[in-house]
Amino acid sequence: MRRTRQKDRDRPGPQSPWDEVAPGLWMGGHYWTDPAGELRPVVVGSEFDLVISLYTQPGHGPDPQMEHLFAEIPDGPLTSAELREVQELARSGVAALDRGLTVLVRCHCGYNRSGLVVAQVLVERGVPVGEAVALVRRRRSVRALSNDAFVSYLSAGLDVAALLVGLDPLG
């Protein structure tokens, strides 16, 4: 049985299945809210060259022949290993974009985890952190990157954040 977090119930779903944050770089989730206010599933087929998932659910795609990278990343404090995984996923996104491919980064709602990876892709491509966060929020939703820890990780730099988290005996 899938548990729904309280903050997911209190937060309206995104108004589109996915949004283009920068040329070729898309951000989305597994659900969206249609104009009538109904929650709809997002099923990815073969619309993108690379799909990076930080959450996955059966029946939501992508098509089996598509390139699909998956890492189970929580929408909460991350370990050093999880931060390094985010870096690797972002680098894969950068490499795909540099080859002229389209990339979709998705999580459950398409707000935080996908926002972290998309913002890191932008940072890796030379966009300052503040601009990357603002762009994600402007193009996807004002609710994107509402996880303050994720914004802090980006602000510190993921390398530094991974080192600092690694020093914490609980992290």
Side-chain angles (χ1 to χ4, degrees), residues 46-95:
S46 57
E47 298 89 347
F48 303 95
D49 298 307
L50 170 63
V51 177
I52 298 172
S53 298
L54 303 147
Y55 167 89
T56 190
Q57 190 168 353
H60 287 251
D63 288 346
Q65 73 276 12
M66 299 304 302
E67 185 176 2
H68 184 213
L69 302 176
F70 171 70
E72 187 77 36
I73 302 291
D75 189 3
L78 301 181
T79 66
S80 183
E82 289 164 339
L83 285 164
R84 298 249 184 255
E85 226 169 353
V86 167
Q87 284 182 297
E88 288 304 313
L89 293 171
R91 288 179 183 135
S92 295
V94 168

Side-chain angles (χ1 to χ4, degrees), residues 2-171:
R2 186 182 150 321
R3 291 183 303 145
T4 302
R5 296 171 301 174
Q6 182 63 41
K7 68 179 183 178
D8 289 338
R9 287 190 298 267
D10 295 340
R11 180 171 36 180
Q15 302 301 299
S16 58
W18 45 67
D19 295 286
E20 192 171 28
V21 176
L25 179 60
W26 296 77
M27 183 171 154
H30 281 66
Y31 298 93
W32 72 288
T33 304
D34 70 15
E38 295 294 318
L39 197 62
R40 301 285 181 202
V42 175
V43 179
V44 178
S46 57
E47 298 89 347
F48 303 95
D49 298 307
L50 170 63
V51 177
I52 298 172
S53 298
L54 303 147
Y55 167 89
T56 190
Q57 190 168 353
H60 287 251
D63 288 346
Q65 73 276 12
M66 299 304 302
E67 185 176 2
H68 184 213
L69 302 176
F70 171 70
E72 187 77 36
I73 302 291
D75 189 3
L78 301 181
T79 66
S80 183
E82 289 164 339
L83 285 164
R84 298 249 184 255
E85 226 169 353
V86 167
Q87 284 182 297
E88 288 304 313
L89 293 171
R91 288 179 183 135
S92 295
V94 168
L97 291 169
D98 287 348
R99 293 191 325 263
L101 303 177
T102 56
V103 177
L104 170 66
V105 182
R106 67 184 184 156
C107 57
H108 185 266
C109 288
Y111 287 149
N112 282 309
R113 291 169 282 185
S114 57
L116 175 61
V117 173
V118 167
Q120 183 61 28
V121 167
L122 295 170
V123 167
E124 298 258 346
R125 296 187 99 201
V127 177
V129 171
E131 288 179 34
V133 170
L135 188 58
V136 164
R137 289 175 177 158
R138 188 170 56 251
R139 297 285 172 85
R140 177 64 177 163
S141 170
V142 296
R143 293 177 182 85
L145 284 173
S146 60
N147 181 324
D148 293 335
F150 287 6
V151 175
S152 294
Y153 297 147
L154 290 163
S155 296
L158 295 190
D159 281 329
V160 171
L163 289 172
L164 292 173
V165 168
L167 294 174
D168 182 352
L170 302 176

